Amino acid sequence: MGLFNRKSNDTPSNPQMAELGREYAIAKRHGDRKTVKRINRQIGESGMSDSDRTSFEQGRESYDSIPPAYSKRNNRRR
């Protein structure tokens, strides 16, 4: 029945903020400081309501829940 159903119907109320959160998570994972700073400035300039903040978090968590495709190289030699 629905006991082990992983699908959720948590659609973000503001899809633009969800996409911005996803973009933020991508930049954070890949170490793109320029994009992270741009998004932080964009968020700081616009007053975010609670629904916008939750949409942003949902977008960020949707990307963060995906494990990385590869692990980082270990450059240390023994």
Side-chain angles (χ1 to χ4, degrees), residues 6-68:
R6 287 186 170 181
K7 292 182 182 177
S8 62
N9 198 12
D10 295 335
T11 57
S13 60
N14 188 348
Q16 289 177 328
M17 290 305 288
E19 184 60 32
L20 192 64
R22 184 172 166 79
E23 202 175 313
Y24 177 82
I26 291 169
K28 198 80 160 154
R29 181 178 287 182
H30 294 285
D32 188 2
R33 294 181 301 185
K34 184 178 178 183
T35 304
V36 170
K37 286 181 183 180
R38 179 184 56 82
I39 293 171
N40 282 336
R41 271 196 316 270
Q42 190 176 2
I43 289 171
E45 290 172 357
S46 65
M48 287 179 63
S49 65
D50 288 337
S51 63
D52 288 345
R53 188 170 305 282
T54 55
S55 296
F56 181 82
E57 290 298 320
Q58 284 177 345
R60 189 176 61 81
E61 290 170 1
S62 71
Y63 187 78
D64 284 340
S65 65
I66 302 170

